[in-house]
């Protein structure tokens, strides 16, 4: 039986240790590398050359989705590796963006061990793997039944300026300095544009705006 080489990318050491202990008990699976950040992941992947990468999307305390660029990097730079997202958030936009960035599967961290192992083996075979909640989102997306949102004409020129700066990771204070308005005014505009786009977080608003061609 060929061994499936697995890499773990998660910012919590205890999570990586637990995953390694469970995975290495399987005769056909072996953890060959670990990384705690996007910066350290590429060096590890260059060395380990895993077949499956278990990737958390939240790699720092200040972001919900800083693993997404790494997902794209892995699928483009390491064509022999497949990404299985293993994260704690089941937001629709995260699931769909993971797929667009090349992920082969998406499962939540509360999945049981049997399902996780099944997903790893499925991704290794070149198949897709999703937990029930993620699968439901994917099915709706494939059938074009996503809920309607704002259109580009609903977003004001000022809101577009703010969205562009949000996409660059600027804080309300920094955006205010760029646009010569107060941080409180920026906060007001950010709240309005998030409501228009149906977004609960700034990163989600940026994602929605990019889909509309606003940034």
């Amino acid at each position: 039986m060929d061994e499936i080489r697995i890499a773990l990318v998660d910012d919590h050491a205890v999570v990586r240790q637990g995953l390694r202990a469970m995975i290495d008990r399987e005769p056909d699976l072996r953890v060959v590398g670990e990384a705690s950040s996007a910066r350290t992941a590429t060096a590890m992947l260059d060395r380990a050359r895993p077949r499956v990468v278990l990737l958390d999307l939240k790699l720092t305390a200040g972001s919900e989705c800083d693993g997404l660029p790494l997902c794209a990097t892995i699928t483009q730079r390491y064509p022999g590796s497949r990404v299985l997202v293993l994260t704690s958030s089941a937001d629709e936009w995260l699931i769909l963006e993971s797929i667009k960035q090349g992920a082969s599967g998406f499962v939540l961290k509360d999945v049981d061990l049997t399902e996780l192992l099944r997903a790893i083996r499925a991704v290794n075979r070149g198949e897709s793997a999703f937990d029930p909640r993620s699968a439901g989102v994917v099915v709706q997306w494939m059938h074009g039944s996503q809920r309607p949102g704002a259109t580009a004409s609903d977003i004001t020129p000022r809101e577009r300026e703010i969205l562009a700066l949000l996409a660059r990771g600027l804080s309300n204070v920094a955006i205010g300095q760029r646009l010569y308005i107060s941080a409180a005014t920026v906060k007001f505009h950010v709240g309005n544009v998030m409501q228009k786009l149906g977004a609960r977080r700034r990163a989600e608003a940026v994602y929605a705006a990019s889909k509309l061609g606003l940034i």
Side-chain angles (χ1 to χ4, degrees):
M1 183 183 297
D2 290 338
E3 197 172 56
I4 302 172
R5 297 166 58 84
I6 299 165
L8 311 175
V9 183
D10 193 293
D11 60 328
H12 292 100
V14 68
V15 173
R16 299 195 308 273
Q17 291 165 4
L19 287 170
R20 177 184 282 272
M22 292 185 292
I23 290 170
D24 281 348
R25 286 201 295 262
E26 300 296 310
D28 60 327
L29 308 179
R30 182 163 67 96
V31 175
V32 295
E34 298 182 21
S36 60
S37 67
R39 181 181 58 82
T40 58
T42 52
M44 178 273 290
L45 293 168
D46 281 335
R47 180 181 67 257
R49 296 292 174 173
R51 177 67 172 170
V52 178
V53 180
L54 294 186
L55 173 65
D56 190 5
L57 295 181
K58 183 178 173 64
L59 296 175
T60 61
S63 174
E64 293 285 333
C65 59
D66 49 345
L68 282 173
L70 178 57
C71 180
T73 297
I74 294 170
T75 56
Q76 293 167 13
R77 182 171 171 179
Y78 308 96
S81 298
R82 292 184 167 85
V83 174
L84 174 59
V85 171
L86 179 64
T87 196
S88 55
S89 176
D91 283 0
E92 176 182 326
W93 79 276
L94 276 178
I95 298 167
L96 298 181
E97 188 64 12
S98 296
I99 296 169
K100 292 175 183 178
Q101 297 302 329
S104 298
F106 192 108
V107 295
L108 293 178
K109 285 184 175 178
D110 62 2
V111 69
D112 64 41
L113 178 59
T114 300
E115 286 302 305
L116 177 58
L117 297 176
R118 180 198 61 78
I120 291 171
R121 293 180 176 115
V123 167
N124 177 66
R125 293 192 300 266
E127 302 170 5
S128 298
F130 300 94
D131 63 30
R133 278 172 285 184
S134 305
V137 171
V138 174
V139 169
Q140 287 185 343
W141 176 51
M142 291 177 65
H143 287 82
S145 58
Q146 294 167 279
R147 65 179 183 272
T151 64
S153 62
D154 296 322
I155 309 302
T156 68
R158 174 63 85 187
E159 289 167 347
R160 290 185 69 159
E161 288 180 314
I162 289 174
L163 282 166
L165 295 173
L166 284 178
R168 295 170 58 184
L170 272 65
S171 67
N172 288 353
V173 172
I175 292 173
Q177 291 171 345
R178 292 289 186 93
L179 300 179
Y180 302 102
I181 57 179
S182 70
T185 300
V186 174
K187 183 177 180 181
F188 172 78
H189 285 304
V190 169
N192 277 348
V193 77
M194 286 177 66
Q195 184 176 21
K196 289 180 182 180
L197 294 171
R200 289 172 291 177
R201 283 182 287 276
R202 294 157 72 101
E204 188 175 352
V206 169
Y207 168 74
S210 69
K211 289 202 300 182
L212 292 173
L214 295 171
I215 54 177

